[in-house]
Amino acid sequence: MVNRSDVHYFGAGPAPLPTHVLEEAAKVLLNFKDKGIGICEISHRSPEANAILADTKQALATLLDIPDDYDILFLQSGGSGEFSAVVYNLVSIWVEKKRAQIAQEVGDDNDEVLKRLRKAVDEELKLDYLVTGSWSLKASQEAARLVGAKHVNVAVDARKSNDGRFGTIPDESTWTLTSREKGGPAFVYFCDNETVDGVEFPQFPKSLVGEDAPWVCADMSSNFISRKVDVRKYAVIFGGAQKNIGNTGIAIVILRKSLLPPVAQYASPDLLRQLNLPVGPIVLDYPTIAKNNSLYNTLPIFDVWVAGQVMASLVDSYGAKRIGGQEEISNDKARLIYDTLDKYPDVYRVVPDKSVRSRMNICFRVHGGDADKEKQFLADAERRGLTGLKGHRSVGGIRASNYNAVSLDGASKLVTFLNDYARGA
């Protein structure tokens, strides 16, 4: 029998979880707080479930120093569901804001308001996407499917400057963001860390800063709680839990409360239908989820509990450093692995440009991508207890996912193997 301690798992998701959390999870699955029933059996509306929600929110707010004017939501959509949710919600706000402006100009002539609003939607509605990898590409495609390609402005497609492949983030001076002089986009969307392609934004884009900055939505599924984040720069941050935070089953959304009623008003479903715009499902409706404390429908409380335990352990471990403590370790592990790969350019080639290398998903090729040699590399690694290193099926190669639950010891053992393999290659 293989012991858990003998294996270091580098899979990209579902990703490894801290062993102490899993050990406690095994207990509460059978008997939660001495109630004689498991955590998966308690009511999602019980006091215990509400306490789990509150504790998990507090742990995340503490880690990331989330301001009081932001809300935290839990949904069952996964990250891909949020590709749609940000469109449904923020387009609805944009439409209602535009309708109110027009109504103020023309008064109570509803036919004229609708006529001008249709024209505004047709000519002005734009959603800006920074496409730097496979997941932001999927998000932009979903937006085009929902509202039509004419409304989706791909402000940057990183493949165009890299021989048709992802692996860079072009200079901001080349981005074609929707002009703020013309009202700007409904939002700007980017994926902070591209799991498939190993590309991570080294910092928040400078062109998205300023008093008149557009609403920024970021997918942080694969680098959530791995480094400091200035939450105030974002309108919406979301992530699937199954990378750094917990197990598959929930998405976590951090959003400005000003995007919720009564501050923000949403277009009515009838108006959206008149404009040929989509009406989103209620389980992705941010006002509904927020109003019901994420309990509009049956929330998987066990998944929230796991996420809460992971985050609470980080709070306990790093104290005043908060997420900065985890950031230091994440950076150290990534540096160890990249430095080793760079030592052997004849054997290893890191896929993304050095300026945008992901700390979370380290993508590289062995012997120029020779299929047989990469297969042998994976087999040799597995014999040493280093598993989950196969690259995404769409790009191949090797991928070492360096999530929080990968220990420094695990990263060091991977480095030892990389050295041994290169010397014997």
Side-chain angles (χ1 to χ4, degrees):
M1 176 175 149
V2 178
N3 293 316
R4 183 176 176 84
S5 59
D6 296 330
V7 172
H8 295 281
Y9 181 60
F10 295 90
L17 284 162
T19 297
H20 69 90
V21 171
L22 291 176
E23 289 171 341
E24 189 61 27
K27 296 176 185 176
V28 302
L29 278 170
L30 287 173
N31 192 343
F32 180 66
K33 290 197 170 181
D34 241 1
K35 289 185 168 295
I37 62 171
I39 190 172
C40 291
E41 300 164 299
I42 66 171
S43 168
H44 66 297
R45 301 194 188 281
S46 64
E48 292 80 10
N50 276 277
I52 289 169
L53 270 169
D55 291 346
T56 303
K57 284 185 179 182
Q58 185 57 54
L60 179 56
T62 300
L63 276 177
L64 294 185
D65 197 21
I66 298 174
D68 290 339
D69 55 346
Y70 280 72
D71 206 345
I72 299 170
L73 310 180
F74 299 90
L75 299 91
Q76 291 169 270
S77 61
S80 295
E82 290 307 303
F83 295 170
S84 308
V86 294
V87 175
Y88 289 133
N89 287 278
L90 298 193
V91 166
S92 183
I93 295 174
W94 184 94
V95 168
E96 177 55 26
K97 188 183 294 184
K98 184 65 66 174
R99 187 208 62 78
Q101 290 172 353
I102 295 170
Q104 193 170 28
E105 295 170 6
V106 304
D108 296 331
D109 188 340
N110 291 333
D111 290 340
E112 182 64 18
V113 170
L114 183 59
K115 177 183 174 182
R116 293 196 186 189
L117 184 56
R118 280 185 174 135
K119 188 174 187 293
V121 168
D122 185 58
E123 297 178 358
E124 300 173 29
L125 177 60
K126 295 293 181 185
L127 321 180
D128 285 3
Y129 280 77
L130 310 181
V131 176
T132 57
S134 300
W135 289 112
S136 50
L137 175 61
K138 286 178 182 291
S140 71
Q141 290 169 338
E142 173 64 357
R145 189 183 72 87
L146 293 176
V147 299
K150 65 176 288 184
H151 296 300
V152 176
N153 171 41
V154 177
V156 57
D157 184 340
R159 295 170 297 181
K160 293 181 178 178
S161 61
N162 195 45
D163 296 325
R165 297 185 299 273
F166 291 120
T168 65
I169 298 178
D171 189 89
E172 292 187 41
S173 63
T174 68
W175 297 1
T176 57
L177 295 164
T178 298
S179 173
R180 297 182 198 177
E181 294 179 1
K182 297 180 180 179
F187 60 83
V188 179
Y189 182 107
F190 69 92
C191 180
D192 205 37
N193 183 78
E194 291 282 2
T195 320
V196 172
D197 307 284
V199 171
E200 185 174 28
F201 276 82
Q203 65 272 322
F204 188 86
K206 294 178 181 177
S207 55
L208 302 181
V209 177
E211 289 185 6
D212 64 339
W215 288 337
V216 176
C217 303
D219 175 0
M220 293 189 183
S221 293
S222 52
N223 64 354
F224 226 151
I225 63 168
S226 72
R227 66 178 180 183
K228 294 178 183 177
V229 175
D230 185 352
V231 173
R232 289 196 180 278
K233 291 180 178 177
Y234 301 85
V236 179
I237 295 171
F238 73 83
Q242 68 275 12
K243 310 290 186 181
N244 272 327
I245 305 174
N247 54 294
T248 303
I250 56 170
I252 299 176
V253 176
I254 304 168
L255 80 160
R256 288 181 188 152
K257 289 180 179 177
S258 60
L259 298 180
L260 298 169
V263 180
Q265 296 299 313
Y266 284 61
S268 70
D270 285 343
L271 178 58
L272 292 171
R273 279 190 284 268
Q274 286 180 295
L275 297 169
N276 293 318
L277 290 172
V279 178
I282 200 162
V283 291
L284 295 182
D285 184 66
Y286 291 159
T288 299
I289 303 304
K291 181 180 178 181
N292 289 276
N293 190 31
S294 299
L295 297 172
Y296 175 78
N297 59 328
T298 306
L299 187 68
I301 289 298
F302 174 69
D303 301 337
V304 177
W305 179 89
V306 171
Q309 293 296 301
V310 170
M311 292 188 287
S313 67
L314 293 179
V315 172
D316 291 342
S317 296
Y318 300 121
K321 281 188 175 182
R322 301 188 180 183
I323 204 60
Q326 181 60 51
E327 182 174 15
E328 291 173 5
I329 292 177
S330 296
N331 291 346
D332 287 344
K333 291 187 296 173
R335 192 178 304 112
L336 272 174
I337 297 169
Y338 279 123
D339 284 351
T340 305
L341 294 171
D342 288 340
K343 276 198 313 186
Y344 306 103
D346 294 336
V347 180
Y348 306 120
R349 176 179 64 82
V350 177
V351 174
D353 185 79
K354 195 168 187 176
S355 63
V356 296
R357 287 178 174 178
S358 168
R359 300 162 306 118
M360 295 287 101
N361 306 103
I362 299 169
C363 299
F364 59 98
R365 305 308 298 255
V366 175
H367 289 293
D370 182 290
D372 291 335
K373 290 184 177 180
E374 289 190 335
K375 186 176 180 180
Q376 187 61 53
F377 174 93
L378 291 169
D380 291 349
E382 192 153 343
R383 278 193 287 273
R384 296 220 194 169
L386 306 169
T387 63
L389 286 165
K390 188 175 182 179
H392 191 272
R393 63 186 181 280
S394 65
V395 295
I398 314 298
R399 174 175 56 177
S401 292
N402 179 38
Y403 297 133
N404 290 357
V406 172
S407 65
L408 188 58
D409 179 56
S412 298
K413 287 185 176 177
L414 174 60
V415 163
T416 298
F417 170 68
L418 291 171
N419 277 312
D420 291 348
Y421 180 89
R423 289 165 184 160

